[in-house]
Short mmCIF file of all heavy atoms in Angstrom, two decimals:
data_model
loop_
_atom_site.label_atom_id
_atom_site.label_comp_id
_atom_site.label_asym_id
_atom_site.label_seq_id
_atom_site.Cartn_x
_atom_site.Cartn_y
_atom_site.Cartn_z
N SER M 234 5.73 8.90 6.31
CA SER M 234 6.20 8.57 4.96
C SER M 234 6.27 7.07 4.71
O SER M 234 6.44 6.63 3.57
CB SER M 234 7.59 9.18 4.71
OG SER M 234 7.54 10.59 4.72
N LEU M 235 6.14 6.27 5.78
CA LEU M 235 6.16 4.82 5.61
C LEU M 235 4.90 4.38 4.86
O LEU M 235 3.85 5.01 4.96
CB LEU M 235 6.18 4.14 6.99
CG LEU M 235 7.42 4.34 7.85
CD1 LEU M 235 7.20 3.71 9.23
CD2 LEU M 235 8.66 3.75 7.19
N PRO M 236 4.99 3.28 4.11
CA PRO M 236 3.76 2.74 3.50
C PRO M 236 2.78 2.38 4.61
O PRO M 236 3.17 1.96 5.70
CB PRO M 236 4.25 1.51 2.75
CG PRO M 236 5.56 1.16 3.38
CD PRO M 236 6.17 2.45 3.82
N GLU M 237 1.49 2.56 4.33
CA GLU M 237 0.51 2.29 5.37
C GLU M 237 0.50 0.84 5.79
O GLU M 237 0.27 0.53 6.97
CB GLU M 237 -0.89 2.69 4.89
CG GLU M 237 -1.14 4.18 4.91
CD GLU M 237 -2.61 4.51 4.75
OE1 GLU M 237 -3.36 4.34 5.74
OE2 GLU M 237 -3.01 4.93 3.65
N ASP M 238 0.71 -0.06 4.86
CA ASP M 238 0.65 -1.49 5.16
C ASP M 238 1.60 -2.22 4.23
O ASP M 238 2.21 -1.62 3.35
CB ASP M 238 -0.78 -2.01 4.97
CG ASP M 238 -1.11 -3.14 5.93
OD1 ASP M 238 -0.16 -3.79 6.42
OD2 ASP M 238 -2.30 -3.38 6.19
N GLY M 239 1.73 -3.51 4.47
CA GLY M 239 2.61 -4.30 3.63
C GLY M 239 3.84 -4.75 4.39
O GLY M 239 3.82 -4.90 5.62
N SER M 240 4.94 -4.93 3.68
CA SER M 240 6.16 -5.41 4.33
C SER M 240 6.72 -4.34 5.26
O SER M 240 6.63 -3.14 4.99
CB SER M 240 7.21 -5.78 3.27
OG SER M 240 7.51 -4.67 2.46
N SER M 241 7.29 -4.79 6.37
CA SER M 241 7.87 -3.86 7.35
C SER M 241 9.14 -3.22 6.79
O SER M 241 9.87 -3.83 6.00
CB SER M 241 8.20 -4.61 8.63
OG SER M 241 7.03 -5.03 9.28
N PRO M 242 9.42 -1.97 7.21
CA PRO M 242 8.62 -1.19 8.15
C PRO M 242 7.42 -0.54 7.47
O PRO M 242 7.52 -0.04 6.35
CB PRO M 242 9.60 -0.14 8.66
CG PRO M 242 10.53 0.07 7.51
CD PRO M 242 10.66 -1.28 6.85
N ALA M 243 6.29 -0.56 8.15
CA ALA M 243 5.07 0.06 7.66
C ALA M 243 4.40 0.80 8.80
O ALA M 243 4.63 0.50 9.98
CB ALA M 243 4.13 -1.00 7.09
N LEU M 244 3.60 1.77 8.45
CA LEU M 244 2.90 2.55 9.47
C LEU M 244 2.02 1.64 10.34
O LEU M 244 1.88 1.86 11.55
CB LEU M 244 2.06 3.63 8.79
CG LEU M 244 1.41 4.72 9.65
CD1 LEU M 244 2.42 5.40 10.56
CD2 LEU M 244 0.72 5.75 8.76
N SER M 245 1.46 0.61 9.73
CA SER M 245 0.59 -0.30 10.47
C SER M 245 1.33 -1.04 11.58
O SER M 245 0.69 -1.53 12.52
CB SER M 245 -0.06 -1.30 9.52
OG SER M 245 0.93 -2.05 8.82
N ASP M 246 2.65 -1.13 11.48
CA ASP M 246 3.44 -1.77 12.55
C ASP M 246 3.26 -1.04 13.88
O ASP M 246 3.45 -1.64 14.95
CB ASP M 246 4.93 -1.77 12.20
CG ASP M 246 5.25 -2.62 10.98
OD1 ASP M 246 4.43 -3.49 10.62
OD2 ASP M 246 6.33 -2.41 10.39
N PHE M 247 2.93 0.25 13.80
CA PHE M 247 2.87 1.07 15.01
C PHE M 247 1.44 1.44 15.40
O PHE M 247 1.23 2.25 16.30
CB PHE M 247 3.68 2.35 14.80
CG PHE M 247 5.10 2.08 14.40
CD1 PHE M 247 5.52 2.26 13.09
CD2 PHE M 247 6.02 1.63 15.32
CE1 PHE M 247 6.83 2.01 12.71
CE2 PHE M 247 7.34 1.37 14.97
CZ PHE M 247 7.75 1.55 13.66
N ALA M 248 0.45 0.84 14.72
CA ALA M 248 -0.94 1.19 15.01
C ALA M 248 -1.30 0.84 16.45
O ALA M 248 -1.02 -0.26 16.93
CB ALA M 248 -1.87 0.45 14.04
N HIS M 249 -1.89 1.82 17.16
CA HIS M 249 -2.34 1.65 18.55
C HIS M 249 -1.17 1.28 19.47
O HIS M 249 -1.33 0.50 20.40
CB HIS M 249 -3.45 0.60 18.64
CG HIS M 249 -4.61 0.88 17.73
ND1 HIS M 249 -5.58 1.82 18.05
CD2 HIS M 249 -4.93 0.38 16.52
CE1 HIS M 249 -6.46 1.86 17.06
NE2 HIS M 249 -6.08 1.03 16.11
N LYS M 250 -0.02 1.86 19.17
CA LYS M 250 1.18 1.61 19.98
C LYS M 250 1.91 2.91 20.28
O LYS M 250 1.70 3.93 19.62
CB LYS M 250 2.13 0.66 19.23
CG LYS M 250 1.60 -0.74 19.02
CD LYS M 250 2.61 -1.57 18.24
CE LYS M 250 2.09 -2.98 17.97
NZ LYS M 250 3.05 -3.78 17.17
N HIS M 251 2.79 2.85 21.26
CA HIS M 251 3.72 3.94 21.54
C HIS M 251 4.99 3.68 20.74
O HIS M 251 5.47 2.54 20.68
CB HIS M 251 4.05 4.01 23.03
CG HIS M 251 2.92 4.55 23.86
ND1 HIS M 251 1.73 3.87 24.03
CD2 HIS M 251 2.82 5.71 24.58
CE1 HIS M 251 0.93 4.59 24.81
NE2 HIS M 251 1.55 5.70 25.16
N ILE M 252 5.52 4.73 20.14
CA ILE M 252 6.76 4.63 19.38
C ILE M 252 7.79 5.53 20.06
O ILE M 252 7.49 6.66 20.44
CB ILE M 252 6.54 5.03 17.90
CG1 ILE M 252 7.82 4.88 17.09
CG2 ILE M 252 5.96 6.42 17.76
CD1 ILE M 252 7.60 5.08 15.59
N TYR M 253 9.01 5.02 20.23
CA TYR M 253 10.02 5.68 21.05
C TYR M 253 11.15 6.23 20.19
O TYR M 253 11.73 5.51 19.38
CB TYR M 253 10.57 4.70 22.09
CG TYR M 253 9.50 4.18 23.02
CD1 TYR M 253 8.66 3.14 22.63
CD2 TYR M 253 9.30 4.76 24.26
CE1 TYR M 253 7.65 2.68 23.46
CE2 TYR M 253 8.29 4.30 25.11
CZ TYR M 253 7.46 3.27 24.70
OH TYR M 253 6.46 2.83 25.53
N ILE M 254 11.45 7.52 20.38
CA ILE M 254 12.55 8.16 19.66
C ILE M 254 13.43 8.88 20.67
O ILE M 254 13.00 9.19 21.79
CB ILE M 254 12.04 9.15 18.60
CG1 ILE M 254 11.20 10.26 19.24
CG2 ILE M 254 11.26 8.42 17.52
CD1 ILE M 254 10.83 11.38 18.30
N SER M 255 14.66 9.16 20.28
CA SER M 255 15.58 9.82 21.21
C SER M 255 16.69 10.54 20.46
O SER M 255 16.93 10.28 19.28
CB SER M 255 16.20 8.80 22.17
OG SER M 255 17.06 7.91 21.47
N SER M 256 17.34 11.44 21.19
CA SER M 256 18.54 12.11 20.68
C SER M 256 19.75 11.79 21.54
O SER M 256 20.80 11.39 21.03
CB SER M 256 18.34 13.63 20.64
OG SER M 256 17.35 14.00 19.72
N PHE M 257 19.60 11.95 22.86
CA PHE M 257 20.72 11.77 23.78
C PHE M 257 20.27 11.06 25.05
O PHE M 257 19.08 11.08 25.39
CB PHE M 257 21.32 13.13 24.16
CG PHE M 257 21.62 14.03 23.00
CD1 PHE M 257 20.90 15.21 22.84
CD2 PHE M 257 22.58 13.71 22.07
CE1 PHE M 257 21.15 16.06 21.77
CE2 PHE M 257 22.84 14.54 20.99
CZ PHE M 257 22.12 15.72 20.84
N PHE M 258 21.23 10.46 25.76
CA PHE M 258 21.01 9.90 27.09
C PHE M 258 22.01 10.57 28.01
O PHE M 258 23.21 10.31 27.95
CB PHE M 258 21.22 8.38 27.05
CG PHE M 258 20.89 7.69 28.35
CD1 PHE M 258 19.61 7.77 28.88
CD2 PHE M 258 21.85 6.95 29.02
CE1 PHE M 258 19.28 7.13 30.07
CE2 PHE M 258 21.54 6.30 30.20
CZ PHE M 258 20.26 6.40 30.73
N LEU M 259 21.53 11.50 28.83
CA LEU M 259 22.40 12.42 29.54
C LEU M 259 22.04 12.56 31.01
O LEU M 259 20.90 12.34 31.42
CB LEU M 259 22.31 13.82 28.91
CG LEU M 259 22.68 13.98 27.45
CD1 LEU M 259 22.32 15.38 26.97
CD2 LEU M 259 24.17 13.73 27.26
N GLY M 260 23.05 12.97 31.79
CA GLY M 260 22.84 13.33 33.19
C GLY M 260 23.12 14.81 33.39
O GLY M 260 23.57 15.51 32.47
N GLN M 261 22.88 15.29 34.59
CA GLN M 261 23.09 16.72 34.88
C GLN M 261 24.56 17.10 34.84
O GLN M 261 24.89 18.28 34.69
CB GLN M 261 22.51 17.06 36.24
CG GLN M 261 20.99 16.99 36.32
CD GLN M 261 20.50 17.25 37.72
OE1 GLN M 261 20.68 16.44 38.63
NE2 GLN M 261 19.89 18.42 37.92
N ARG M 262 25.43 16.15 34.95
CA ARG M 262 26.87 16.45 34.98
C ARG M 262 27.52 16.33 33.61
O ARG M 262 28.74 16.39 33.50
CB ARG M 262 27.58 15.55 36.00
CG ARG M 262 27.17 15.84 37.43
CD ARG M 262 27.96 15.02 38.43
NE ARG M 262 27.57 15.29 39.80
CZ ARG M 262 28.05 16.27 40.55
NH1 ARG M 262 28.98 17.09 40.05
NH2 ARG M 262 27.65 16.45 41.80
N ASN M 263 26.74 16.14 32.56
CA ASN M 263 27.29 16.10 31.20
C ASN M 263 27.59 17.51 30.72
O ASN M 263 26.76 18.17 30.11
CB ASN M 263 26.31 15.42 30.25
CG ASN M 263 26.36 13.92 30.33
OD1 ASN M 263 25.57 13.32 31.04
ND2 ASN M 263 27.28 13.30 29.63
N THR M 264 28.76 18.00 31.00
CA THR M 264 29.17 19.34 30.57
C THR M 264 30.68 19.38 30.40
O THR M 264 31.42 18.66 31.08
CB THR M 264 28.74 20.40 31.60
OG1 THR M 264 29.28 21.67 31.23
CG2 THR M 264 29.22 20.05 32.99
N ASN M 265 31.11 20.21 29.47
CA ASN M 265 32.54 20.39 29.24
C ASN M 265 33.13 21.52 30.07
O ASN M 265 34.31 21.83 29.97
CB ASN M 265 32.81 20.66 27.75
CG ASN M 265 32.53 19.44 26.90
OD1 ASN M 265 32.75 18.31 27.33
ND2 ASN M 265 32.04 19.66 25.69
N THR M 266 32.29 22.19 30.88
CA THR M 266 32.78 23.29 31.70
C THR M 266 33.29 22.77 33.03
O THR M 266 32.97 21.66 33.45
CB THR M 266 31.66 24.31 31.95
OG1 THR M 266 30.55 23.64 32.57
CG2 THR M 266 31.19 24.93 30.65
N SER M 267 34.07 23.57 33.71
CA SER M 267 34.64 23.19 35.00
C SER M 267 33.63 23.44 36.12
O SER M 267 32.86 24.41 36.06
CB SER M 267 35.91 24.01 35.28
OG SER M 267 36.86 23.80 34.25
N PRO M 268 33.64 22.61 37.15
CA PRO M 268 32.69 22.77 38.25
C PRO M 268 32.76 24.14 38.92
O PRO M 268 31.73 24.66 39.36
CB PRO M 268 33.10 21.65 39.22
CG PRO M 268 33.75 20.62 38.36
CD PRO M 268 34.46 21.40 37.29
N HIS M 269 33.96 24.74 38.97
CA HIS M 269 34.08 26.01 39.67
C HIS M 269 33.41 27.16 38.92
O HIS M 269 33.26 28.26 39.46
CB HIS M 269 35.56 26.34 39.93
CG HIS M 269 36.32 26.75 38.69
ND1 HIS M 269 37.02 25.83 37.92
CD2 HIS M 269 36.48 27.97 38.08
CE1 HIS M 269 37.57 26.47 36.91
NE2 HIS M 269 37.27 27.75 36.97
N GLN M 270 32.99 26.90 37.68
CA GLN M 270 32.30 27.93 36.90
C GLN M 270 30.81 28.01 37.22
O GLN M 270 30.12 28.87 36.70
CB GLN M 270 32.48 27.65 35.39
CG GLN M 270 33.93 27.77 34.92
CD GLN M 270 34.07 27.43 33.44
OE1 GLN M 270 33.94 26.28 33.03
NE2 GLN M 270 34.30 28.45 32.64
N TRP M 271 30.35 27.12 38.09
CA TRP M 271 28.92 27.05 38.40
C TRP M 271 28.71 27.14 39.92
O TRP M 271 29.53 26.69 40.70
CB TRP M 271 28.32 25.72 37.92
CG TRP M 271 28.37 25.56 36.43
CD1 TRP M 271 29.44 25.17 35.68
CD2 TRP M 271 27.30 25.81 35.51
NE1 TRP M 271 29.11 25.14 34.35
CE2 TRP M 271 27.80 25.52 34.22
CE3 TRP M 271 25.98 26.22 35.65
CZ2 TRP M 271 27.03 25.65 33.08
CZ3 TRP M 271 25.19 26.34 34.52
CH2 TRP M 271 25.72 26.06 33.24
#
Side-chain angles (χ1 to χ4, degrees):
S234 295
L235 295 174
E237 284 194 76
D238 212 338
S240 59
S241 292
L244 190 53
S245 59
D246 295 341
F247 305 105
H249 305 281
K250 294 179 182 178
H251 287 67
I252 182 172
Y253 299 81
I254 60 172
S255 67
S256 295
F257 311 114
F258 186 59
L259 300 171
Q261 292 176 290
R262 293 185 180 274
N263 280 96
T264 174
N265 291 326
T266 57
S267 301
H269 73 267
Q270 295 177 290
W271 296 81

